[in-house]
Coordinates of all heavy atoms in Angstrom, one line a residue:
I1 N 110.2 99.1 107.0 CA 109.7 99.8 108.2 C 110.6 99.5 109.3 O 110.5 98.4 109.9 CB 108.2 99.5 108.5 CG1 107.3 99.6 107.2 CG2 107.7 100.3 109.6 CD1 105.9 99.1 107.4
E2 N 111.3 100.5 109.8 CA 112.3 100.2 110.9 C 111.6 100.2 112.2 O 110.5 100.7 112.4 CB 113.4 101.3 110.8 CG 114.2 101.3 109.5 CD 115.3 102.3 109.5 OE1 116.4 101.9 110.0 OE2 115.1 103.4 109.0
P3 N 112.2 99.7 113.3 CA 111.7 99.7 114.6 C 111.3 101.1 115.1 O 112.0 102.1 114.8 CB 112.8 99.1 115.5 CG 113.6 98.3 114.5 CD 113.5 99.0 113.2
G4 N 110.1 101.2 115.7 CA 109.6 102.5 116.2 C 108.8 103.3 115.1 O 108.4 104.4 115.4
Y5 N 108.6 102.7 114.0 CA 107.8 103.4 112.9 C 106.7 102.6 112.4 O 106.6 101.4 112.6 CB 108.8 103.7 111.7 CG 109.8 104.8 112.1 CD1 111.0 104.4 112.6 CD2 109.6 106.1 111.9 CE1 112.0 105.3 113.0 CE2 110.5 107.1 112.2 CZ 111.7 106.7 112.7 OH 112.7 107.6 113.1
F6 N 105.8 103.2 111.6 CA 104.7 102.5 110.9 C 104.6 103.2 109.5 O 105.2 104.2 109.3 CB 103.4 102.6 111.7 CG 102.7 104.0 111.5 CD1 101.8 104.2 110.5 CD2 103.0 105.0 112.4 CE1 101.2 105.4 110.3 CE2 102.4 106.3 112.2 CZ 101.4 106.5 111.2
E7 N 103.9 102.5 108.7 CA 103.7 103.0 107.3 C 102.3 102.6 106.8 O 101.7 101.6 107.3 CB 104.7 102.5 106.4 CG 104.9 103.2 105.1 CD 106.2 103.1 104.4 OE1 107.1 102.5 105.1 OE2 106.4 103.6 103.3
K8 N 101.7 103.5 106.0 CA 100.4 103.2 105.4 C 100.6 102.8 103.9 O 101.4 103.4 103.2 CB 99.6 104.5 105.4 CG 99.1 104.9 106.8 CD 98.2 106.1 106.8 CE 97.8 106.5 108.2 NZ 96.9 107.7 108.2
F9 N 99.8 101.8 103.5 CA 99.9 101.2 102.2 C 98.5 101.4 101.5 O 97.5 100.7 101.8 CB 100.2 99.7 102.3 CG 101.6 99.4 102.8 CD1 101.8 99.5 104.2 CD2 102.6 99.2 102.0 CE1 103.1 99.2 104.7 CE2 103.9 98.9 102.5 CZ 104.1 98.9 103.8
P10 N 98.4 102.4 100.7 CA 97.1 102.8 100.1 C 96.7 102.0 98.9 O 97.5 101.6 98.1 CB 97.2 104.3 99.7 CG 98.7 104.4 99.5 CD 99.4 103.4 100.3
L11 N 95.4 101.7 98.8 CA 94.8 101.0 97.6 C 93.5 101.7 97.2 O 92.7 102.1 98.1 CB 94.5 99.6 97.9 CG 95.7 98.6 98.1 CD1 95.2 97.2 98.5 CD2 96.5 98.5 96.8
S12 N 93.2 101.8 95.9 CA 91.9 102.2 95.4 C 91.2 100.9 95.1 O 91.7 100.1 94.2 CB 92.0 103.1 94.2 OG 90.8 103.3 93.6
I13 N 90.0 100.6 95.7 CA 89.3 99.4 95.5 C 87.8 99.6 95.1 O 87.3 100.6 95.4 CB 89.4 98.5 96.7 CG1 88.7 99.2 97.9 CG2 90.8 98.1 97.0 CD1 88.6 98.3 99.2
G14 N 87.3 98.6 94.4 CA 85.9 98.7 94.0 C 85.6 97.6 93.0 O 86.4 96.9 92.6
Q15 N 84.4 97.4 92.7 CA 83.2 98.0 93.3 C 82.9 97.2 94.6 O 82.9 96.0 94.6 CB 82.0 97.9 92.3 CG 80.8 98.6 92.7 CD 79.8 98.6 91.5 OE1 80.0 98.1 90.4 NE2 78.6 99.1 91.8
L16 N 82.6 98.0 95.7 CA 82.4 97.3 96.9 C 81.0 96.6 96.9 O 80.1 97.1 96.2 CB 82.4 98.4 98.1 CG 83.7 99.1 98.2 CD1 83.5 100.2 99.3 CD2 84.8 98.2 98.6
P17 N 80.9 95.5 97.6 CA 79.7 94.7 97.5 C 78.5 95.4 98.2 O 78.7 96.2 99.1 CB 80.0 93.4 98.3 CG 81.1 93.8 99.2 CD 81.9 94.8 98.4
E18 N 77.3 95.2 97.7 CA 76.1 95.8 98.2 C 75.4 94.9 99.3 O 74.6 95.3 100.0 CB 75.1 96.1 97.1 CG 75.7 97.1 96.1 CD 74.7 97.4 95.0 OE1 73.6 96.7 95.0 OE2 75.0 98.2 94.1
D19 N 75.8 93.6 99.3 CA 75.2 92.6 100.2 C 76.1 92.2 101.4 O 76.0 91.1 101.9 CB 74.7 91.4 99.4 CG 75.9 90.7 98.7 OD1 77.0 91.4 98.6 OD2 75.7 89.6 98.2
A20 N 77.0 93.1 101.8 CA 77.9 92.8 102.9 C 78.1 94.0 103.7 O 78.1 95.2 103.2 CB 79.2 92.3 102.4
D21 N 78.3 93.8 105.0 CA 78.6 94.9 105.9 C 80.1 95.2 106.2 O 80.4 96.2 106.7 CB 77.9 94.7 107.3 CG 76.4 94.7 107.1 OD1 75.8 95.4 106.3 OD2 75.7 93.8 107.8
Q22 N 80.9 94.2 105.8 CA 82.3 94.3 106.0 C 83.1 93.4 105.1 O 82.5 92.5 104.5 CB 82.7 94.0 107.5 CG 82.4 92.6 107.9 CD 82.7 92.3 109.3 OE1 82.8 93.2 110.2 NE2 83.0 91.0 109.6
L23 N 84.4 93.7 104.9 CA 85.3 92.9 104.1 C 86.5 92.6 105.0 O 87.0 93.4 105.7 CB 85.7 93.6 102.9 CG 84.7 93.9 101.8 CD1 85.3 94.7 100.6 CD2 84.1 92.6 101.3
V24 N 86.8 91.3 105.0 CA 88.0 90.8 105.8 C 89.2 90.6 104.9 O 89.1 89.8 103.9 CB 87.6 89.5 106.6 CG1 88.8 89.0 107.4 CG2 86.4 89.8 107.5
F25 N 90.3 91.2 105.2 CA 91.5 91.0 104.4 C 92.6 90.3 105.4 O 92.9 90.9 106.4 CB 92.1 92.4 104.0 CG 91.2 93.2 103.1 CD1 90.2 94.0 103.7 CD2 91.2 93.1 101.7 CE1 89.4 94.8 102.9 CE2 90.4 93.8 100.9 CZ 89.4 94.6 101.5

């Protein structure tokens, strides 16, 4: 990623927890 730019890094994730309101990466 060169200066002045950004990029998105996609992931498919699961199964998301049922007992949490957020996930910290």
Side-chain angles (χ1 to χ4, degrees):
I1 307 174
E2 298 183 87
Y5 291 87
F6 77 92
E7 197 155 352
K8 291 182 179 180
F9 296 79
L11 288 175
S12 173
I13 61 175
Q15 186 173 359
L16 299 175
E18 298 180 355
D19 57 348
D21 295 324
Q22 64 181 23
L23 292 177
V24 178
F25 301 87

